[in-house]
Amino acid sequence: KGSPRQFFKKKNLITKTHDNRNNTGARNHRRVKYYLVMDIEATCEEGSNFVGMEQEIIEMSFVLLNAQTLNIDDTLQVYVRPTENPTLSLFCRKLTGINQAHVEQAPILLDALPQIDEWLQLHSLLPCSGLQTLSENSSWPYKFALVTDGGRDPVSFVAIECKRKGVPMPSYYKRWVNLEYHFCKTFNVEFANMDGMLKHFNLQFEGAKHSGITDARNLARCTIEIIRHVISGRGSSTTQWPLTLNDGVGRGRFAKKNSTIFVLAQTQEWTQVFLELQRIRSNQTMLN
């Protein structure tokens, strides 16, 4: 089967960067006013391990974190109605706390994404539409940056479902702050998840796990602590953007001790890339 590098190299999907100077997201970033911490919940079946199945988004939740004050200025929770498998499994309902009535009364993905645009417009963070062109070498045009705990939510949920259903995807989903990667680089560990990050900061998880809005709130707490740590080490202000855009759609991340592999967006083989990354990550020792 070969190594991860051989897999990506064969697919013409990889480029290796040794530091942020070669990272498009870091090189072309601008200061942002907000970090938009995101979490997504999707359809699931017991025993599937979430790999190989075509999941559909059923909740998109966001926490609007002020980059200067580090206060949470607003939150948004949007339920989404699945169309391919409209009936939620018992396992999915128990895991996420989302019941059938929640999704039956919700908009489909095509109509849910504009609701998020409208919310961002209310905060003067989106001029008119998020559907503008954003090329690989473009500078970041927004006053906010998405933050996720890795790459799964924007890649395997938003990008893949939009591609599969022919739904236009707003360009601000194309790049994001991979908080796991920043944590690993900052604290010199090879892998971390949200529970591990919370434990590192002596914080307890608050609320019900696998609720999108609850997960987003807890991830925002991790974001705040990482920013505070970076700022204290640099002796600088939050306006210098301590968390850079270090990941993007189609740029799945596999972190090794001394290198980072980015998967290029133009091939659009997101599903293959995600499944391979999932296999690789399952073999790694998680931070407990």
Side-chain angles (χ1 to χ4, degrees):
K1 294 183 180 179
S3 68
R5 278 190 56 80
Q6 289 170 336
F7 171 85
F8 293 124
K9 201 168 186 179
K10 185 177 180 182
K11 294 286 186 180
N12 293 319
L13 295 175
I14 69 168
T15 180
K16 185 175 178 181
T17 61
H18 294 282
D19 56 45
N20 280 341
R21 289 173 297 180
N22 295 323
N23 183 327
T24 299
R27 183 175 69 248
N28 290 331
H29 78 259
R30 57 181 286 184
R31 295 178 182 180
V32 294
K33 292 185 177 180
Y34 287 94
Y35 292 110
L36 190 60
V37 185
M38 175 179 73
D39 189 77
I40 290 175
E41 300 301 324
T43 55
C44 52
E45 297 285 347
E46 188 172 12
S48 68
N49 199 27
F50 312 113
V51 176
M53 64 176 294
E54 291 188 344
Q55 294 178 271
E56 292 180 274
I57 296 169
I58 55 176
E59 180 190 352
M60 301 180 74
S61 289
F62 302 87
V63 171
L64 194 61
L65 177 63
N66 191 304
Q68 292 184 313
T69 65
L70 297 185
N71 292 329
I72 294 175
D73 285 2
D74 201 1
T75 61
L76 177 69
Q77 183 182 37
V78 177
Y79 291 116
V80 183
R81 175 160 50 91
T83 56
E84 296 168 337
N85 295 288
T87 302
L88 302 183
S89 68
L90 177 61
F91 173 77
C92 185
R93 298 197 305 270
K94 286 184 176 181
L95 181 71
T96 64
I98 299 173
N99 60 44
Q100 193 64 36
H102 282 131
V103 296
E104 287 181 351
Q105 299 167 9
I108 61 175
L109 184 64
L110 178 65
D111 298 322
L113 292 177
Q115 289 187 8
I116 299 165
D117 284 356
E118 291 173 6
W119 178 68
L120 291 170
Q121 289 167 10
L122 286 175
H123 289 279
S124 301
L125 295 177
L126 209 60
C128 52
S129 172
L131 295 176
Q132 64 188 83
T133 301
L134 183 64
S135 68
E136 187 71 14
N137 295 315
S138 298
S139 59
W140 189 244
Y142 300 109
K143 297 177 182 178
F144 66 94
L146 285 174
V147 177
T148 75
D149 57 349
R152 181 176 181 177
D153 284 4
V155 176
S156 65
F157 296 145
V158 182
I160 288 180
E161 187 172 345
C162 284
K163 181 174 182 287
R164 188 173 74 242
K165 294 183 175 181
V167 174
M169 185 179 75
S171 58
Y172 55 82
Y173 291 102
K174 292 184 177 181
R175 297 180 195 166
W176 59 86
V177 175
N178 185 326
L179 200 66
E180 286 183 3
Y181 178 74
H182 276 292
F183 181 89
C184 291
K185 292 286 285 185
T186 301
F187 299 102
N188 195 29
V189 296
E190 291 194 28
F191 179 76
N193 57 13
M194 182 162 60
D195 287 339
M197 288 188 282
L198 287 168
K199 184 176 181 180
H200 177 88
F201 296 119
N202 295 316
L203 298 174
Q204 297 293 321
F205 189 95
E206 296 179 350
K209 288 189 176 182
H210 302 296
S211 159
I213 191 63
T214 300
D215 285 353
R217 286 182 179 277
N218 281 279
L219 191 61
R221 295 167 68 209
C222 294
T223 306
I224 291 169
E225 293 301 323
I226 294 173
I227 291 174
R228 284 173 174 165
H229 180 87
V230 172
I231 292 170
S232 64
R234 289 179 177 175
S236 59
S237 68
T238 56
T239 56
Q240 292 186 328
W241 202 11
L243 300 182
T244 56
L245 287 162
N246 61 351
D247 222 341
V249 163
R251 309 185 86 197
R253 183 266 310 164
F254 169 56
K256 286 185 175 180
K257 189 171 183 179
N258 296 315
S259 65
T260 303
I261 296 174
F262 294 95
V263 181
L264 301 179
Q266 47 264 44
T267 62
Q268 297 188 354
E269 295 187 70
W270 301 318
T271 304
Q272 255 185 303
V273 168
F274 169 70
L275 292 177
E276 180 65 10
L277 291 175
Q278 184 84 338
R279 183 188 69 78
I280 293 167
R281 287 181 55 170
S282 68
N283 294 328
Q284 293 188 28
T285 301
M286 296 182 66
L287 178 67
N288 294 316

